[in-house]
Amino acid sequence: MTIKQLSVFLENKSGRINEVTKVLGENGINMQAFSMAETTDFGILRLIVSDVDKAVEVLRAKNFAVVLTDVVCICCPNVAGALSKILEKLAAHQIFIEYMYAFAQGDQANIVIRPSNLEECVRLLAEEDCHILDRKQLQ
Amino acid sequence: MIWNKNKECMSRDELRDLQGKRLHKLVDLVYHNTPFYREKMQELDLLPDDIRTIDDIVKLPFTTKADLRDNYPMGLVAAPMTEIVRIHASSGTTGNPTIVGYTYRDLEIWKEVTARALTAYGVTRGDIVSVGYGYGLFTGGLGAHYGVEHLGATVLPTSTGNTEKHIRLLRDLGVTGLACTPSYALYLAEALNKQGLTGADLKLRIGAFGAEPWTENMRREIEERLGIQAYNIYGLSEIMGPGVAYECGCKNGSHIAEDHFYPEIINPETGEVLPLGQEGELVLTTLTKTGMPLLRYRTKDLTTLMPGTCDCGRTSVRFTRILGRSDDMLIIRGINVFPSQVEAVILEIPEIAPCYMLVVDRKNNLDTLEVQVELRPDSFSDDMGSMLALKRKLSDRLKSVLSISAEVKLVEPNSLPRSEGKSTRVIDKRVLA
Ligand SMILES: [Zn+2]
């Protein structure tokens, strides 16, 4: 159970993130989560949005370089040490986290994970009875 | 195969004799028909009869691109307008465009030298050659076009633009030859792959590439991806257009059509003629042109004339790959850097668009070079590691080609300025400081 994440290539100059959110907003696309990975001259803006296909279309039309990536989104159990237990299990199975970021949905905390091995990661999470979110549960 | 054995393989002595006779006639022509040259010769106290042999050429004045612009539009034309049958123009980045007028006889010579080039690459009457150079004021399209026809092969005047249709025609007609810029050849290979095709799906076997600098790496890549033999064709509109010089099967230097274009290598700073084998600026004299003949035209192209004879049997002198252009040269940390070198590296890396901007600056008394390049939209990856690896690949290549390190900056697709397809852009902030 994976989700399509939208990644956008951005130069490090002022107003570029704003341009992305503006284009999405004008097209009625809702941003549910985002994270930014930066280097000195460019960054990768990673987004979970309400209509990923439309987002790709409208951003490409504005000359943005965009790509879709499969990620896993889990609802973090509200128990102390729960996340650490999950991460330990993944590490024990040689699954590395390329990146992860968290976002809130109502009163629940969600985590987006990009693992080195997606299928295996989903299998292990399911074993842990981890609550994996699908597209619909993000609305 | 050799198109004109008589001229391409004549003994060096005979050739020098012919060049001397033609030069004498040429000087006589411009002295009496081009006020610009008459005045220049009078300043030097020269009369046409002072030029007897080809060695006398050093007495003659140089011609520069600025002279062409200053005499815009037709000031350097030696023939009456009734004799001019075609005009080409090259776009200037600054000032007036350069106008070149051709007589019917000039066009005959142009066809002849281009047919020599195509024959040297192995093109025969049985070939179909697609000309993917721009048709129009630029000399590439029409120049190659008439060369193919003159040789008796079939020309397909595809020009630039519709790549999908181009690929379709290449396939459906079984086109065997391709004349275009080397970067367009690579673009075509990309476009083929995108359609799930490779060079093996085409019958192409020979490519004639020119009008921009390219490297041996690009040659290898084009040859592998399109399954062809790729050859250099050299020319410039001021002198004629494509066909002034061409590689042969040996792919070791480009032969100059020396019976029509006399080459010299000079020190670009002093104008002194350099001995054979030394690197400098290529200077060409149009020995036989009658429309707009030029004496000792400074091409700004930096190269070396190669001593020794070629295995192909041609006796005409060869020059090595063009190293750069003297007027574009930047001196960064004491090292000569040519935008064309950067361009050649960029053209080798498919993830990057053939468009760039060089920013030269001075920080803490040290020159810095930033190379801004555009990421191709379909080469973007969510993996930061591979994006950084792409940056590193480019900076490593630049360092090995330029001998100085450059800061690579990846910018968004379509964000660098473009004009007329030419992508050379330099900002030298040191001049402003
Ligand atoms: Zn040869």
Side-chain angles (χ1 to χ4, degrees), chain A residues 5 7-11 16 37-39 41-42 44 46 63-67 69 99, chain B residues 375-378 380-384 387-388 391 407-415:
Chain A
Q5 168 195 265
S7 304
V8 187
F9 178 82
L10 287 183
E11 268 171 67
R16 293 312 285 161
E38 280 174 290
T39 69
D41 57 324
F42 70 90
I44 301 174
R46 297 176 173 128
N63 281 323
F64 281 102
V66 294
V67 71
T69 315
Y99 54 81
Chain B
L375 181 71
R376 279 196 200 269
D378 49 5
F380 171 49
S381 153
D382 175 59
D383 177 20
M384 186 59 96
M387 296 300 291
L388 292 172
K391 244 183 93 163
E407 181 68 34
V408 170
K409 189 173 176 199
L410 280 183
V411 303
E412 289 168 26
N414 285 299
S415 62

